[in-house]
Structure formats: structure tokens, C-alpha cells
């Protein structure tokens, strides 16, 4: 985001090849997560490796998706090999499937026993569902004590692959753990404009930042961003909050919905999208506040005032 695009920004792609093993019981949401992370526009190569293994390649990155549980000896040795060689581990739990928590916990511990170095992202997925387990309910079954004792790098996060809630932030964490490139921007983003809609689909504002020449250059980019935003509004009409990250031309589009409002911002290709998500969430709050005071908001002013280092500046 370009979490993962950032990783490809390497001098020699082969030398920086990274693999992320994404594991969990069938139906946990692994495939859905990978597809969202890899953004809609990318073509993925997906070689068939064997039963229940998916390998997605994207530049210098390899995502190995593996359904756990009910191992045959052949599959067992195969996934042990994958997990051993993985640079990052992601375990996905269906937080609404409480009946299989114990089994998930066993598989989680087994996976950890094969790899004692890689940072671990634990995703408690499907939090949009009514019967999703709380953090405490998950922690009752999944034991992180050993990880803490061994000082492993791990992160626990509650996500929804469906709405995107918390997903991009947690992947940002993993990317930063995997990525050693000092040049990567970790703090500021370059917002080159925004799209502001009402959740029922009414367009309020589209504003391009920068000098007229830059704006002219970005017109088609924004047209595409607008089409993506409208698509997102339709797809997420049933949810109060949602967020997504897409690749649009050579930039990234972050769209977030918060009850009545939908805001999309376009940021640079290598920018940390998690920061953009954070900024937009704060903008949402400020918009709601000013609506309560009956003042008309100007999102551009808000960005300039509160995030002076996060938009494109041109002299
Ligand atoms: N409600 C909800 N459904 C999800 C979520 N993530 C995945 N699903 C659904 O769960 C099912 C299994 O997802 P899939 O990605 O195929 O699981 P996998 O077997 O782990 O790869 C699919 O029907 C998905 O649409 C989520 O966050 N919320
Ligand atoms: Mg799958």
C-alpha cells in the first residue's frame, strides 16, 4: 500500500523477494483478504500448486494462501516447508465461527512451531457479523503469552475483509516489519485531491490540488477515482462504515465511508495508505461536528489546516 508496492521498490527485485504465508481454517476469509490487499486492478498469476494452496505473485512478493486443518501427510510436509520459509505470517480467524476456535488455536500454535522468526499478524476477521467474537473472547482461546515471552513481533487486529475495516492499517504494520527500506515514507502522504459524496450517492465535491497544470494532468485519474467511488458506495450501502484501497493509474485511492459521508482521497503510489485512512477518518469526524453546528465544511481547508505536510505543494 502501496503497502506492498513499496516492497517492490527494491534495487534488485530477486534479492528482496518476500513471501507471506496466509493461513487459517477454510472459510476464514484468507482469499478475500489477499484479493483486497492486492487491489482490484492487478492481474495475479495464480499457479495451481496442489489442493487448497493458492500462490499469488506480485512483483517481488509471494502470497501463499493455505487452508489448515485435516492435513494429509503430503499436504502437511508442503505447508511446513512454506511456513518455514515465510518472511511474514498471517493467521486469519473467522471470529464468528466460535465452534472451531479450539481447532483454530491448535493450528495457530502448530504453525508457530514451524517458524520462530517471522512477524505474525493475527487477524480476527468478519467483525462486521453480529455474532463476531470480542477481543476478550478470542484471547480466551488464542494464547499470545508464548509470543510475548519469546519477544516475537506480533500484532492482533480485528478486521472485516468485507468492509475493509482495520484491514489496511494492519497490513501496513506487517509491511513495515518486513520492509527495511529506509527511504520509504512512513509518515506523510501526498494527497492530490479528494472526492466527497453522500452515502446515498449524491456527489458534493471533487477537488484537485496543485497548480492548474497538475490538475489538468490528473483529470482522467479523478474520473476513474470517481467511478471507483460510486462503485464502492453501491457495494457498501448496507454498512455504516467501510474502507478500501485501490490502485488507480499510478496512484492509490483510499475510500472510506462513515455513516452519512463517503470520502475518497488520491495519494502517491508509494505513500503509506494507513496514514491516509487515519486522516480521512479524522476528516469524517470534523465534518460531522461542523454539520451539527450548521457550518459548511471545506475539506481542502481542513486538510491544509490539520495536515499541512500531507498534500502536494507546488511553488
Ligand atoms: N461477513 C463477512 N464475510 C466474509 C469476510 N471475509 C470473508 N467473508 C466470506 O467468507 C467466505 C469465505 O471466504 P474465503 O476468502 O473464501 O475464505 P478462505 O477459505 O479462508 O480463503 C466467503 O463467502 C467470503 O465472502 C468478512 O470480513 N465478513
Ligand atoms: Mg481460500
Amino acid at each position: 500500500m502501496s503497502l506492498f508496492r513499496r516492497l517492490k521498490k527494491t534495487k534488485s527485485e530477486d534479492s528482496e523477494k518476500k513471501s507471506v504465508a496466509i493461513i487459517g481454517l477454510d472459510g476464514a476469509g484468507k482469499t478475500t483478504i489477499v484479493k483486497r490487499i492486492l487491489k482490484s486492478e492487478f492481474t495475479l498469476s495464480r499457479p495451481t500448486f496442489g489442493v487448497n494452496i493458492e500462490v499469488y505473485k506480485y512483483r517481488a512478493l509471494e502470497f501463499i494462501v493455505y487452508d489448515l486443518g485435516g492435513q494429509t501427510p503430503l499436504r502437511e510436509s508442503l505447508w511446513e516447508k512454506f511456513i518455514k520459509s515465510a518472511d511474514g505470517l498471517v493467521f486469519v480467524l473467522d471470529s464468528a465461527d466460535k465452534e472451531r476456535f479450539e481447532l483454530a488455536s491448535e493450528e495457530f500454535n502448530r504453525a508457530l512451531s514451524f517458524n520462530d522468526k517471522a512477524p505474525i499478524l493475527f487477524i480476527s476477521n468478519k467483525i462486521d457479523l453480529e455474532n463476531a467474537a470480542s477481543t476478550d473472547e478470542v484471547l480466551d482461546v488464542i494464547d499470545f503469552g508464548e509470543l510475548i515471552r519469546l519477544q516475537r513481533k506480533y500484532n492482533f487486529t480485528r478486521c472485516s475483509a468485507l468492509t475493509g475495516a482495520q484491514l489496511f492499517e494492519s497490513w501496513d504494520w506487517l509491511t513495515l516489519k518486513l520492509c527495511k527500506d529506509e527511504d520509504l515514507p512512513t509518515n506523510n502522504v501526498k494527497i492530490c485531491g479528494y472526492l466527497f459524496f453522500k452515502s446515498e450517492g449524491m456527489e458534493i465535491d471533487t477537488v484537485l490540488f496543485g497548480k492548474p497544470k497538475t490538475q489538468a494532468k490528473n483529470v482522467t485519474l479523478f474520473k476513474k477515482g470517481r467511478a471507483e467511488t460510486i462503485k464502492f458506495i453501491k457495494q457498501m450501502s448496507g454498512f455504516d462504515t467501510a474502507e478500501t484501497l485501490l490502485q488507480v493509474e499510478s496512484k492509490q485511492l483510499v475510500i472510506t465511508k462513515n455513516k452519512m459521508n463517503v470520502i475518497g482521497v488520491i495519494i502517491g503510489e508509494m505513500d503509506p495508505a494507513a496514514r491516509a485512512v487515519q486522516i480521512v477518518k479524522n476528516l469524517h469526524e470534523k465534518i460531522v461536528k461542523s454539520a451539527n453546528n450548521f457550518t459548511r465544511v471545506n475539506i481542502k481547508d481542513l486538510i491544509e489546516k490539520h495536515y499541512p505536510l500531507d498534500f502536494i505543494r507546488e511553488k
Side-chain angles (χ1 to χ4, degrees):
M1 284 187 316
S2 205
L3 292 185
F4 285 100
R5 304 218 58 187
R6 285 198 228 150
L7 288 172
K8 67 139 210 223
K9 205 188 107 194
T10 52
K11 278 130 226 138
S12 156
E13 293 203 341
D14 286 336
S15 68
E16 286 290 333
K17 202 162 182 252
K18 301 268 182 204
S19 73
V20 180
I22 301 163
I23 50 183
L25 301 182
D26 56 288
K30 301 178 294 297
T31 305
T32 314
I33 287 173
V34 176
K35 288 190 172 160
R36 282 202 78 140
I37 293 298
L38 290 177
K39 301 171 198 168
S40 57
E41 277 193 11
F42 293 133
T43 1
L44 308 169
S45 70
R46 189 185 144 174
T48 316
F49 226 91
V51 199
N52 290 350
I53 304 174
E54 296 160 24
V55 181
Y56 296 89
K57 289 199 168 124
Y58 175 65
R59 308 271 176 140
L61 264 175
E62 203 169 54
F63 296 83
I64 300 147
V65 183
Y66 205 110
D67 293 337
L68 301 179
Q71 256 44 297
T72 62
L74 174 74
R75 292 185 59 210
E76 178 106 7
S77 64
L78 206 52
W79 82 267
E80 184 180 332
K81 195 181 109 217
F82 280 138
I83 292 176
K84 265 197 181 121
S85 61
D87 300 301
L89 291 178
V90 178
F91 190 93
V92 184
L93 174 79
D94 177 345
S95 66
D97 185 10
K98 293 173 193 165
E99 280 177 8
R100 291 201 295 167
F101 272 13
E102 279 297 340
L103 178 62
S105 166
E106 281 165 30
E107 296 289 356
F108 178 58
N109 291 331
R110 217 149 59 89
L112 292 185
S113 70
F114 294 137
N115 185 324
D116 57 9
K117 287 185 301 292
I120 303 143
L121 174 62
F122 188 99
I123 295 181
S124 185
N125 190 36
K126 307 199 188 180
I127 58 166
D128 58 282
L129 295 177
E130 233 167 70
N131 57 335
S134 66
T135 302
D136 284 347
E137 281 173 294
V138 176
L139 294 184
D140 276 349
V141 190
I142 309 283
D143 184 15
F144 290 101
E146 186 68 2
L147 293 180
I148 297 168
R149 198 179 63 73
L150 296 171
Q151 301 189 313
R152 294 273 311 251
K153 288 177 191 152
Y154 80 96
N155 194 356
F156 173 88
T157 179
R158 296 180 80 237
C159 284
S160 167
L162 197 67
T163 68
Q166 296 303 321
L167 186 62
F168 302 105
E169 281 101 325
S170 54
W171 279 94
D172 214 16
W173 174 85
L174 184 65
T175 310
L176 287 174
K177 291 286 169 252
L178 294 182
C179 194
K180 291 190 193 77
D181 192 338
E182 305 286 317
D183 299 335
L184 290 176
T186 50
N187 296 317
N188 295 108
V189 293
K190 281 177 234 64
I191 299 175
C192 55
Y194 65 86
L195 306 125
F196 180 25
F197 280 76
K198 284 289 169 193
S199 292
E200 71 273 15
M202 187 173 47
E203 188 168 357
I204 306 289
D205 241 353
T206 297
V207 175
L208 280 61
F209 295 172
K211 283 187 159 181
K213 214 170 140 189
T214 308
Q215 292 183 16
K217 223 170 58 195
N218 283 339
V219 166
T220 45
L221 172 73
F222 271 78
K223 269 194 191 143
K224 286 185 186 166
R226 191 174 169 275
E228 290 292 351
T229 308
I230 291 167
K231 208 158 85 188
F232 171 87
I233 289 172
K234 284 196 187 122
Q235 282 169 348
M236 296 300 158
S237 62
F239 300 96
D240 268 357
T241 58
E243 57 206 59
T244 199
L245 171 73
L246 300 162
Q247 184 79 18
V248 179
E249 293 188 346
S250 63
K251 299 241 190 305
Q252 303 178 86
L253 169 66
V254 173
I255 316 173
T256 65
K257 171 177 180 178
N258 189 346
K259 299 194 180 86
M260 306 295 292
N261 302 310
V262 173
I263 303 175
V265 296
I266 293 186
I267 59 172
E269 180 182 28
M270 299 291 173
D271 290 353
R275 173 155 176 93
V277 171
Q278 219 62 64
I279 292 174
V280 179
K281 280 182 177 169
N282 289 342
L283 292 175
H284 274 297
E285 275 173 31
K286 292 188 194 331
I287 290 166
V288 171
K289 264 192 206 135
S290 48
N292 292 341
N293 299 334
F294 300 103
T295 44
R296 170 131 171 74
V297 283
N298 182 324
I299 295 182
K300 184 166 190 252
D301 289 349
L302 285 179
I303 296 174
E304 283 181 354
K305 183 170 165 214
H306 297 281
Y307 304 98
L309 301 177
D310 289 285
F311 65 93
I312 48 163
R313 281 171 182 283
E314 293 169 322
K315 294 208 184 80

